[in-house]
Amino acid sequence: MAFSVSSRLLHLHRVIRPAIVSHTNASRVGPQALVASRLMSSAPSYNFVTVEKRGEGDCVGLVTLNRPKALNALCDGLMKEVDQIMIEMDNDPGVAAVVLTGSEKAFAAGADIKEMQNKNFVDCYLYNFLEGWDGITKIKKPVIAAVNGYALGGGCELAMMCDIILAGEKARFGQPEIVLGTIPGAGGTQRLTRAIGKSRAMQMCITGDPITAQQAKDWGLVSSVHPPDQLVAEAVKIGERIGQHSKLIVAICKESVNNAFELSLKQGLTVEKKLFYTTFATNDRKEGMTAFVEKRKAKFSDS
Ligand code: CAA
């Protein structure tokens, strides 16, 4: 029973939310805006994040971590909200890509140390502490992390769960858990090592010292570095560019790239080939190639 009620609420939320959060439509006053404002009270509200739509056709979901007093420390409530919003974004047919960001001071300063302070082994082990944190990695749409300021511990790990990372010039990436007498627990020793190699990851994890945005770029952790006030706009631009393609084929491509982290080269190449063949069962593959031959812009139908 509880499941079906919450499913219905989720459905209602999906239907009304685009009208509520649309950035470009926000100032328009019309019947839709009026309906949206009336429905506002029934829409789920978030305590630790804000959600907007940006970019051409509102095709980019912008999720901003918003727990400024704790530098966006990743408390349980915040992570549950991020997880929920990612599912909503994935199910929203208008959204092509998601940008995840924080404030100019902090993307996220790590797991909430005050929440963790009194946990013991039993609390962690029996109740699967951090198990639900990887919701971002399970969605089909691309997620772009726009990292300004501190991305430490769980904050760095959260950024690494995303598909693309852009950094502001003053960003700092680090795994300082060693200073707290623990180790990274949400992918820091694994995703970081795959991203920048053993020596550099080892150094970061066992010294606890952070690296700058430029170092992160030189080491391949981030794609590009931007002035802090332009960072989100740059990430949205990438989301818009992705939005020009077929959502279906983008999802298949994302799946294939992500397999490179999980499989041997031989297995990965086999999966890639199968996914490549799969695109030949889609309308969008036919349309893309036909449009090229006919010298016109492709009109994808996400099918
Ligand atoms: N958890 C809880 N609260 C945090 C926090 C965190 N990770 N990081 C910062 N805060 C809080 C501070 O306690 C402080 O709150 P009060 O005002 O109530 O005291 C507030 O945010 C502002 O922080 P500072 O006063 O420390 O700000 P600063 O500018 O002097 O320093 C900082 C900034 C260098 C990021 C420093 O806050 C810091 O070192 N934070 C902890 C970073 C860290 O160790 N992260 C790893 C956490 S463990 C983890 O993430 C495990 C995992 O793998 C999942």
Side-chain angles (χ1 to χ4, degrees):
M1 185 65 183
F3 177 73
S4 70
V5 169
S6 64
S7 303
R8 260 180 269 137
L9 280 174
L10 188 61
H11 173 72
L12 177 67
H13 183 207
R14 276 179 207 142
V15 171
I16 62 172
R17 190 148 191 90
I20 295 168
V21 299
S22 164
H23 176 76
T24 52
N25 290 341
S27 56
R28 283 187 211 151
V29 179
Q32 193 190 28
L34 286 174
V35 171
S37 75
R38 278 194 207 113
L39 287 170
M40 186 86 87
S41 56
S42 62
S45 60
Y46 299 107
N47 294 314
F48 304 111
V49 295
T50 62
V51 189
E52 299 163 65
K53 297 274 184 73
R54 292 279 176 94
E56 189 162 355
D58 279 344
C59 74
V60 182
L62 174 63
V63 180
T64 306
L65 306 180
N66 185 30
R67 200 188 168 207
K69 285 189 182 147
L71 302 183
N72 293 332
L74 305 169
C75 60
D76 188 51
L78 184 151
M79 289 309 294
K80 284 195 171 121
E81 288 186 3
V82 169
D83 199 34
Q84 173 66 23
I85 288 162
M86 289 298 155
I87 293 168
E88 287 174 25
M89 293 285 168
D90 216 23
N91 288 327
D92 184 335
V95 170
V98 181
V99 171
L100 178 66
T101 194
S103 67
E104 283 204 10
K105 175 148 190 194
F107 177 73
D112 191 316
I113 299 167
K114 291 166 192 168
E115 247 181 31
M116 281 187 294
Q117 183 189 0
N118 294 318
K119 278 192 193 293
N120 60 29
F121 168 74
V122 178
D123 299 330
C124 292
Y125 183 82
L126 271 190
Y127 301 102
N128 304 313
F129 182 46
L130 303 182
E131 278 296 336
W133 272 37
D134 58 353
I136 288 180
T137 66
K138 295 184 178 144
I139 74 167
K140 288 200 157 66
K141 290 185 183 157
V143 184
I144 305 159
V147 177
N148 268 321
Y150 297 112
L152 302 178
C156 186
E157 291 168 314
L158 189 64
M160 291 190 292
M161 288 176 206
C162 299
D163 301 300
I164 297 171
I165 309 178
L166 305 189
E169 284 158 351
K170 292 183 184 153
R172 294 286 179 276
F173 296 85
Q175 297 293 160
E177 290 87 346
I178 201 83
V179 178
L180 301 168
T182 184
I183 70 167
T189 64
Q190 302 302 303
R191 291 196 178 93
L192 190 61
T193 306
R194 281 165 172 74
I196 65 175
K198 176 176 167 178
S199 179
R200 289 159 172 171
M202 187 71 85
Q203 185 179 324
M204 285 177 70
C205 290
I206 62 180
T207 65
D209 294 337
I211 57 170
T212 64
Q214 191 54 48
Q215 256 174 312
K217 179 167 174 283
D218 294 344
W219 290 0
L221 182 61
V222 310
S223 299
S224 54
V225 179
H226 305 273
D229 60 343
Q230 291 166 31
L231 177 69
V232 169
E234 291 296 331
V236 169
K237 263 192 226 164
I238 294 177
E240 279 179 316
R241 179 75 182 117
I242 293 166
Q244 292 169 354
H245 306 308
S246 159
K247 293 187 186 72
L248 176 62
I249 308 297
V250 166
I252 293 172
C253 193
K254 165 172 163 162
E255 183 184 338
S256 195
V257 173
N258 278 334
N259 269 309
F261 279 88
E262 309 288 345
L263 305 174
S264 70
L265 180 60
K266 195 170 175 196
Q267 291 167 323
L269 290 170
T270 302
V271 169
E272 181 191 71
K273 197 73 82 245
K274 289 195 170 140
L275 288 171
F276 171 69
Y277 294 156
T278 303
T279 66
F280 285 73
T282 69
N283 294 321
D284 284 343
R285 195 284 315 170
K286 180 84 178 163
E287 165 62 9
M289 293 191 183
T290 304
F292 176 84
V293 171
E294 293 177 356
K295 299 189 187 300
R296 61 173 174 82
K297 196 167 181 275
K299 279 172 100 175
F300 294 121
S301 56
D302 305 327
S303 65

